[in-house]
Each structure stands twice: as structure tokens, then as C-alpha cells.
Amino acid sequence: TTYLDYADGDGYQAVRLPYKGEAADMLVILPHKGRFGPVEEHLSAGFLDQVENSLDMEYVRLTMPRFDFETDLDLKKMLERMGMTAPFDSGMADFSGITGGKDLYISEALHRANITVDEKGTEAAAATVLAMAESSTPQMTEMTIDRPFIFAIVERDKGTILFLGRVTNPQQ
């Protein structure tokens, strides 16, 4: 139980969990029962901004399941689809600033992301959530994450979404 940025929106509850160092936050969006599909369909950068803008500091008793989410991304394929092909082409790449010759090119670009949430907090890369508690007991909001939910790791300065995922079968 601690003070957190919290919102009760149209069909969902949301909470922002700050990472140590305050460079990023985990935004958790918990659709109301039976509303996961409609909320997920509405998911966009604009919707995430709307959720972020509706957050207010509240005293929240948050219950969240443990989960471990890992994914591998082939950045080479993704970047080539976006039009960045020269660095991956042995005949076109120019990394001569590194070796003095034109013999280097990028053969693979892979990215692995891991997010773990357990009783100690949440960890993504080397970041950890810190929770602060006060000894007084003000009015409290309950949020129990016991059904499918959406989460985003958001860089704080620019609002860039670093990771977006969903947990469809949360286990307590």
C-alpha cells in the first residue's frame, strides 16, 4: 500500500509504477471484467497518452501477480522493412570509420527484452520499482490485478514506449 499515480477510466483501472532512477515507468492498464477486448482494440499512442494524463496520486493497495515476460526481436528484419538496408548489405555498408576499410557490415541485429514482476517489485533491464509507505492510513483505492491486463514501459522524458505487452493469464 503506497501513493501511486492511479486512474479509474472508461472501462479500466490504471496505475503507474516508477522505476528506480526515475528514467522510466511501468504503466499497467487493467480492463474491467469483460472489457479486455474493447480496451485492447482501443490501444494506441493516443490512448496511452489519455491514460497517462488522467493519472492522479492516490493511496493504492495494489495486488499484482508474479510474471516473467521475455521476448526476442529480430531488429535486422524490422529495420529493413522500415527502409534501413545499407548497414546490412555487405556491398553498401560503410563502417570505414571503425576499421579504415569497407569490409564491415551488420549481419544480425537481435534484441532481447525481459520483464520480471515478483514480490520484490518489477525489473526491466537494471531497473527496480521502489514503493514508499506511510504510517498513517488515508482513504485507500483497491486495485487487484487478477485478470488479463496490458502493460507498457514508458521512458519518462519523451514518453517513448520502450516495451508494450499483455498478460492474458495472470497467476497470483
Side-chain angles (χ1 to χ4, degrees):
T1 307
T2 190
Y3 282 102
L4 294 169
D5 282 327
Y6 170 85
D8 192 356
D10 183 20
Y12 66 88
Q13 287 178 288
V15 66
R16 178 174 33 214
L17 305 173
Y19 280 100
K20 182 179 178 181
E22 301 182 4
D25 302 306
M26 176 183 277
L27 178 64
V28 177
I29 301 169
L30 177 65
H32 294 159
K33 287 184 180 178
R35 300 273 301 154
F36 185 83
V39 170
E40 185 180 40
E41 287 174 16
H42 195 63
L43 194 60
S44 67
F47 175 72
L48 290 175
D49 286 343
Q50 175 186 338
V51 171
E52 287 268 355
N53 291 333
S54 67
L55 295 169
D56 283 317
M57 191 66 70
E58 289 197 29
Y59 198 60
V60 179
R61 176 177 287 150
L62 178 66
T63 306
M64 190 167 182
R66 287 182 253 171
F67 70 92
D68 191 10
F69 196 89
E70 183 172 283
T71 188
D72 293 316
L73 298 173
D74 184 342
L75 294 180
K76 178 180 175 186
K77 288 180 183 176
M78 185 183 309
L79 292 170
E80 285 176 330
R81 282 194 305 264
M82 293 171 62
M84 183 187 287
T85 57
F88 305 105
D89 185 322
S90 61
M92 294 179 64
D94 183 359
F95 292 101
S96 58
I98 298 172
T99 64
K102 289 190 172 188
D103 54 345
L104 284 182
Y105 71 99
I106 300 171
S107 61
E108 290 187 63
L110 303 172
H111 176 72
R112 174 172 283 175
N114 180 272
I115 296 173
T116 302
V117 174
D118 61 22
E119 59 279 351
K120 297 175 189 171
T122 175
E123 184 176 324
T128 305
V129 166
L130 295 179
M132 306 293 269
E134 289 190 1
S135 57
S136 63
T137 309
Q139 184 176 355
M140 189 178 334
T141 299
E142 296 276 341
M143 184 172 175
T144 301
I145 301 174
D146 59 357
R147 57 189 177 273
F149 65 95
I150 299 162
F151 67 94
I153 307 297
V154 182
E155 187 271 334
R156 192 173 286 184
D157 286 340
K158 304 275 187 218
T160 304
I161 298 168
L162 304 174
F163 194 90
L164 182 64
R166 64 184 178 147
V167 176
T168 57
N169 188 19
Q171 301 297 317
Q172 293 291 348

